[in-house]
Amino acid sequence: MICLMPMCAYLSETSRMIQIYKALKAQGARVCMATHGGVHEALLRNEGIDFDIVGPRMDEARGHRFVGDNVGVGSPDQSMYGPDEMRAYVLAEADYFNRKGISAAVTGFTLTALLSTRLAGIPLITEHAGAFIPPLFERNLLPAPSTAPVPLFNYLPKTLVRRLLNKTVAGRKFYLSGYHALAAELGMAPIPSFPALLLGDLVLVTEAPEVYGVSEQDMSSWRPRGDAYWPTTRFEYTGPLFAEFDLPVPPEIEQALQRSRPTIYVALTSTSAELVRRVVRAAVASDANVIVAGTVHDVRDLAAANVTVGDVLPSHKIMPRVDLAITMGGQGSVQCAMAAGVPLIGIPLHREQDSNVHFLEKRGAAKLLPLGGINSDGIQRLCKEMLSRPSYRTAAQSIQAAYAKRNGPELCASAIRRYLSARQVA
């Protein structure tokens, strides 16, 4: 039995687990779903997926605090969970794995699974790492952050900052204190480094080689050097993995998509409602039709003749019919845009989103707007530029062609099953 563990505080993480769950079921695998709960657990119900709540239920308020404490957003001297909470989750998960006869756990960002799988003696498979993986930063491929983590970086050349961060990232101990304390209490080895916090025994690299610039062979042949990683960690390219919610396009959104002027799709799900308002007003000023995925934000006050506001929307049905997307740069949203051949403006909150947009910007399919330097005039000018220059769409369409060769959910499911079969033989 394979256990999928979505972190339901995140829309993207929940949707990814749904995609892999469906693909595993289609391939005949025995699979179950377990979660701490959260604001997006309703998506599991909407898909008709049975799931178990393991450990203390994470209500909506706790989920928002988790997101605020998360990697790249919250202070690096904490571990996103309190000591008692982390212990409760790890023990409950390990007990669940043993009772259900789980052979492997698969997660995006349920970080307690790193300890609970080791406690239960089963492998952990992760798909959340994005570009923050050693085969990339060992090649100096991660970008300098768009928002400097320390003031000194504002005065150094970007190339130097990039080199320093790529070179030193493996030795970082950010966010680990709580995990180290609990590991010691349970008689387990400490987590080797911050990157290792995000890596399982098998890491599904949910991107295409054409985007990262690292070949399939180089990715799969990577092996840990030194003591900064788990010795068992391996990487395998799968492909794009983004939400495809089984939802209809609402009538008002359908009507907006049929307007003649260029259309911009604004889907800013992990930021403040005020930033959403600023971006939408600037996008409208570019003389475009704007569709807004409100998700968790109440921004219906933005509705106007050229602005249509929805809730959680089926982006994979909307993206192919728009001319430009504006997102935070999470991997799911940028991949949804690229799979539709639609250029993108990214406004990253943290380094993972920075990296996602950076790789597309290098290939001419996106532009990055740093959060700290954002202003309405700049957004308006950039919207006009990207809507008027065909090169952006051409570049996005080249990535679309690469994505068309990869069915991400199916390749994830196949990689999981192949990995577990190899373990049984060994």
Side-chain angles (χ1 to χ4, degrees), residues 94-117:
D95 176 67
Y96 180 85
F97 298 151
N98 289 326
R99 284 189 293 104
K100 298 278 283 190
I102 301 300
S103 58
V106 184
T107 192
F109 217 75
T110 302
L111 296 177
T112 48
L114 186 63
L115 298 182
S116 61
T117 51

Side-chain angles (χ1 to χ4, degrees), residues 363-379:
R363 284 149 185 79
K367 294 292 285 187
L368 188 152
L369 274 180
L371 186 63
I374 198 168
N375 62 74
S376 296
D377 288 343
I379 299 170

Side-chain angles (χ1 to χ4, degrees), residues 228-394:
Y229 313 108
W230 306 108
T232 53
T233 294
R234 301 291 183 269
F235 295 89
E236 182 169 345
Y237 272 120
T238 52
L241 191 65
F242 53 89
E244 294 188 7
F245 297 128
D246 188 17
L247 299 172
V249 177
E252 65 275 16
I253 302 295
E254 180 63 42
Q255 185 177 4
L257 288 166
Q258 295 178 21
R259 293 175 185 153
S260 58
R261 69 178 64 197
T263 299
I264 299 173
Y265 183 42
V266 177
L268 302 170
T269 61
S270 302
T271 188
S272 67
E274 183 51 39
L275 180 62
V276 176
R277 291 187 174 92
R278 287 172 59 194
V279 170
V280 169
R281 288 166 185 150
V284 171
S286 69
D287 198 30
N289 174 44
V290 178
I291 294 173
V292 185
T295 60
V296 298
H297 300 305
D298 183 6
V299 289
R300 293 198 174 273
D301 56 291
L302 288 169
N306 294 332
V307 180
T308 308
V309 181
D311 294 313
V312 174
L313 296 174
S315 291
H316 69 293
K317 297 179 182 179
I318 294 170
M319 283 287 191
R321 302 174 64 185
V322 304
D323 302 282
L324 177 66
I326 303 177
T327 80
M328 303 308 300
Q331 193 178 66
S333 66
V334 301
Q335 289 183 343
C336 187
M338 293 303 109
V342 173
L344 173 115
I345 296 173
I347 308 173
L349 283 175
H350 50 72
R351 289 205 69 196
E352 184 259 331
Q353 294 173 344
D354 263 346
S355 299
N356 294 333
V357 181
H358 161 81
F359 283 104
L360 300 182
E361 189 173 49
K362 279 185 65 176
R363 284 149 185 79
K367 294 292 285 187
L368 188 152
L369 274 180
L371 186 63
I374 198 168
N375 62 74
S376 296
D377 288 343
I379 299 170
Q380 180 182 343
R381 284 194 302 270
L382 189 53
C383 287
K384 286 184 174 181
E385 174 191 332
M386 296 187 73
L387 288 171
S388 63
R389 291 190 184 177
S391 62
Y392 290 106
R393 180 169 283 274
T394 299

Side-chain angles (χ1 to χ4, degrees), residues 71 107-115 117-118 124-126 128-129 132-134 137 168-176 179-180 189-203 222 224-233 235:
V71 172
T107 192
F109 217 75
T110 302
L111 296 177
T112 48
L114 186 63
L115 298 182
T117 51
R118 280 158 173 74
L124 176 66
I125 299 168
T126 57
H128 67 269
F132 204 79
I133 52 177
F137 58 70
T168 62
V169 68
R172 300 294 176 88
K173 302 291 184 180
F174 295 158
Y175 302 98
L176 297 183
Y179 300 94
H180 282 171
I191 297 171
S193 65
F194 166 63
L197 176 66
L198 309 178
L199 303 176
D201 300 293
L202 172 65
V203 180
W222 180 90
R225 293 177 292 181
D227 57 1
Y229 313 108
W230 306 108
T232 53
T233 294
F235 295 89

